[in-house]
Amino acid sequence: MADGTLTIDTEVNEKGVEVGVRDIEASMKRMASTADEAGNKTRSAVQKQMDALSELNDAIKETSKTASKAEKQEFTITRALEVNYDYDGPLHEPTMVSPESL
């Protein structure tokens, strides 16, 4: 007997959605991995630059020390020659004079 009720039996096909979600998830994982890899490479490159700058700084300090020693030696030799050049007495070994003693 008909009671005026209409029944519609439906089913949602979720297979396409599930596949799409898995593809999106896999794509996001690949992007995260790529970003992490890029971050590691950047960190490594920056560390190498910092190490190179540190080595350069050490070399500059060493060069400065060497130049300072050379400058003091040059002054000592020049001053010793000036002192001996003006001397009219008998010849003798040059006297070494340090900048600190002047």
Side-chain angles (χ1 to χ4, degrees), residues 31-49:
M31 285 188 342
S33 176
T34 301
D36 188 43
E37 196 175 307
N40 289 338
K41 287 181 180 179
T42 301
R43 188 176 305 110
S44 176
V46 168
Q47 185 62 49
K48 286 179 184 177
Q49 291 299 316

Side-chain angles (χ1 to χ4, degrees), residues 21-34:
V21 169
R22 280 194 299 256
D23 288 347
I24 291 171
E25 184 180 12
S27 177
M28 295 298 286
K29 286 180 181 178
R30 284 191 306 272
M31 285 188 342
S33 176
T34 301

Side-chain angles (χ1 to χ4, degrees), residues 35-102:
D36 188 43
E37 196 175 307
N40 289 338
K41 287 181 180 179
T42 301
R43 188 176 305 110
S44 176
V46 168
Q47 185 62 49
K48 286 179 184 177
Q49 291 299 316
M50 289 174 56
D51 292 345
L53 286 174
S54 179
E55 288 178 20
L56 180 60
N57 189 39
D58 292 345
I60 289 170
K61 285 179 183 177
E62 192 61 34
T63 302
S64 178
K65 287 179 186 177
T66 302
S68 179
K69 287 179 185 176
E71 185 177 83
K72 286 179 183 177
Q73 288 175 345
E74 179 185 5
F75 177 81
T76 301
I77 291 169
T78 302
R79 183 66 181 135
L81 291 174
E82 288 173 357
V83 168
N84 287 325
Y85 182 75
D86 292 335
Y87 181 70
D88 287 334
L91 294 178
H92 57 78
E93 293 296 316
T95 304
M96 299 304 282
V97 178
S98 69
E100 293 82 18
S101 69
L102 298 176

